Amino acid sequence: MGNAYVGVSDDISGIFINPVSIVHIEGQHLFFSSMQYMVDMQAMSAIWSFPVQSKIGGRLAVHYTGLYSGDMTWTTATDIDGSETAKDFTWNELALGLTYGRMFTDKFSIGVGAKYVRTDVADW
């Protein structure tokens, strides 16, 4: 796999690639990231991970990822600069997730996750 870090992720940010990456951390953890792209686009992500205090054990994490485009001009093949349509639209995407991970032995851990994914874009 060419030095891939997927199998050995040891912090909370690895949850987006490998759900079992949360089993080796202790206590509560919070992660937030925001990145501004060119042309008013912005990507954001957040994670909150905490131990499960019951007979089940393990850890839970709630996570969010979003991409926001800002206003863009509606164009077509015949109106490449948008002067005829004169409409703006936005493209927004989000993913909300829940992940559970548990270490059974020092060599065997399991992680599972579920995500709700949504895309909002104009549909004129």
Side-chain angles (χ1 to χ4, degrees):
M1 291 198 2
N3 295 326
Y5 192 65
V6 173
V8 292
S9 178
D10 58 358
D11 69 351
I12 194 169
S13 64
I15 200 169
F16 295 116
I17 299 170
N18 186 357
V20 79
S21 67
I22 61 173
V23 300
H24 294 290
I25 58 178
E26 296 181 14
Q28 292 191 31
H29 286 257
L30 182 64
F31 170 86
F32 180 77
S33 175
S34 177
M35 182 171 45
Q36 192 73 32
Y37 286 115
M38 60 184 137
V39 200
D40 294 333
M41 294 181 78
Q42 184 175 14
M44 296 179 1
S45 60
I47 309 167
W48 177 44
S49 177
F50 52 92
V52 176
Q53 302 294 333
S54 70
K55 293 179 182 179
I56 298 172
R59 296 188 64 80
L60 277 175
V62 178
H63 46 95
Y64 160 82
T65 307
L67 176 69
Y68 305 96
S69 71
D71 290 335
M72 295 188 290
T73 303
W74 186 276
T75 61
T76 65
T78 57
D79 181 23
I80 59 172
D81 63 354
S83 59
E84 292 177 21
T85 57
K87 293 180 182 177
D88 288 340
F89 72 100
T90 59
W91 184 293
N92 299 320
E93 298 189 359
L94 73 86
L96 298 172
L98 181 66
T99 298
Y100 173 76
R102 181 172 178 200
M103 182 173 17
F104 291 95
T105 70
D106 62 337
K107 298 191 186 319
F108 181 69
S109 301
I110 291 179
V112 295
K115 285 184 183 176
Y116 166 78
V117 179
R118 179 178 174 154
T119 300
D120 292 321
V121 66
D123 58 0
W124 291 304

